[in-house]
Amino acid sequence: MTEEVEDWWDATADAFQDAIDLDVGVNWTGFGHGDLELLTDVEDDAVLELGCGGGQCSVALAKRGADVTGIDLSENQLVHARALADEHGVDIDVRKGSVTDLEEFDDGSYDVAFNAWVFQWVEDLAACFEETHRVLRPGGRFVFSLPHPVYDVTEGGSHEVSESYFETGRLEITHDGMDVDQVLFRHTVSDIVNALVDAGFVVERMHEPGTPNPDDYEPGPWGEYTPALMSKLPAVLVLEARNE
Ligand SMILES: C[S@@+](CC[C@H](N)C(=O)[O-])C[C@H]1O[C@@H](n2cnc3c(N)ncnc32)[C@H](O)[C@@H]1O
């Protein structure tokens, strides 16, 4: 399963980074309606980014004084992460790997694990959360954001609920002119929260950032998000959990 995701990201990494042109920072929401001030206090913390992509978040946390390791399935994304780290003069350890298998990392070796916009690509969240729990020290923090599962089943133009929220699992999207398909995985909010609890985390905060004003949003580089709909439904889900 992860091979398909890896193939997609290897094929699209350059075009993605070019189009999205992200600033260095933790882009929890990514829609220009005010980001969240999370993980601002990481000085001297050992931090693991689970799916670091082009490294914008890892570089930001390294600049805040953290000792950052980033893993990602896509070697082509990591090329961008390494170049960004060099450009900003920070030293981050970025390696190829899957968030569902953290075997190379010791038990209790991180203070913080996080990611932004990765878990829609991951089928086996339970494996990832169990492994993350293992590599975090007791009391360690796990913070992540992903597209809100409710927003994801709503049609941008009509605002109709076009698919079933309860139909979870694999979603395959074919794009014109691409040799590889985009493979995503749907999860419900309760699936995500319960997988965290089952892995041994305490969920401390949940955020659904947004405002009722469509002018507060941007439609994304591919016009894939609809400001009018984002002003009605949360487009992003952010969870803060702690390792018990
Ligand atoms: C949308 S990017 C997000 C990256 C970064 N947080 C950002 O804001 O640019 C998603 C990344 O998740 C990575 N990814 C997806 N599934 C993964 C997995 N199972 N293990 C590691 N990385 C994964 C992809 O390769 C891709 O680089």
Side-chain angles (χ1 to χ4, degrees), residues 15-243:
F16 174 82
Q17 294 297 339
D18 198 36
I20 201 160
D21 193 24
L22 282 175
D23 291 335
V24 164
V26 185
N27 311 288
W28 298 107
T29 65
F31 303 125
H33 59 276
D35 226 315
L36 298 165
E37 291 294 313
L38 300 172
L39 301 186
T40 50
D41 52 342
V42 291
E43 192 160 359
D44 297 328
D45 280 354
V47 173
L48 178 61
E49 183 172 10
L50 299 161
C52 62
Q56 294 86 357
C57 308
S58 281
V59 168
L61 265 61
K63 286 184 153 194
R64 292 175 195 169
D67 181 5
V68 183
T69 307
I71 64 162
D72 201 283
L73 272 185
S74 163
E75 190 54 53
N76 290 351
Q77 286 277 74
L78 293 175
V79 168
H80 289 274
R82 292 189 188 105
L84 193 71
D86 284 350
E87 190 188 316
H88 286 264
V90 293
D91 191 15
I92 56 175
D93 173 4
V94 291
R95 327 170 174 190
K96 185 170 156 61
S98 174
V99 302
T100 54
D101 178 5
L102 305 177
E103 198 179 11
E104 65 199 283
F105 304 112
D106 292 337
D107 294 3
S109 51
Y110 286 94
D111 301 295
V112 174
F114 83 104
N115 70 29
W117 240 239
V118 173
F119 287 147
Q120 68 270 39
W121 308 92
V122 177
E123 181 175 32
D124 194 352
L125 285 186
C128 172
F129 293 175
E130 281 161 22
E131 276 289 87
T132 303
H133 187 267
R134 182 184 63 74
V135 303
L136 278 173
R137 65 165 171 79
R141 289 184 287 167
F142 183 22
V143 185
F144 60 86
S145 70
L146 74 165
H148 201 296
V150 170
Y151 187 93
D152 264 3
V153 295
T154 313
E155 212 274 308
S158 65
H159 299 195
E160 281 177 11
V161 179
S162 49
E163 292 165 58
S164 172
Y165 175 76
F166 304 105
E167 228 166 80
T168 56
R170 184 189 165 89
L171 175 71
E172 199 171 304
I173 304 172
T174 301
H175 293 271
D176 288 345
M178 292 290 300
D179 294 337
V180 270
D181 289 338
Q182 187 178 19
V183 175
L184 299 153
F185 298 94
R186 288 230 167 101
H187 310 280
T188 63
V189 175
S190 50
D191 285 345
I192 297 165
V193 170
N194 291 336
L196 281 171
V197 172
D198 290 346
F201 286 102
V202 173
V203 177
E204 294 192 320
R205 307 287 294 174
M206 171 170 155
H207 308 270
E208 295 170 305
T211 80
N213 183 357
D215 295 338
D216 288 339
Y217 300 88
E218 289 164 11
W222 302 276
E224 74 280 30
Y225 280 94
T226 311
L229 182 58
M230 285 195 282
S231 69
K232 293 180 176 174
L233 287 174
V236 187
L237 175 65
V238 187
L239 284 158
E240 293 185 72
R242 196 172 287 275
N243 190 346

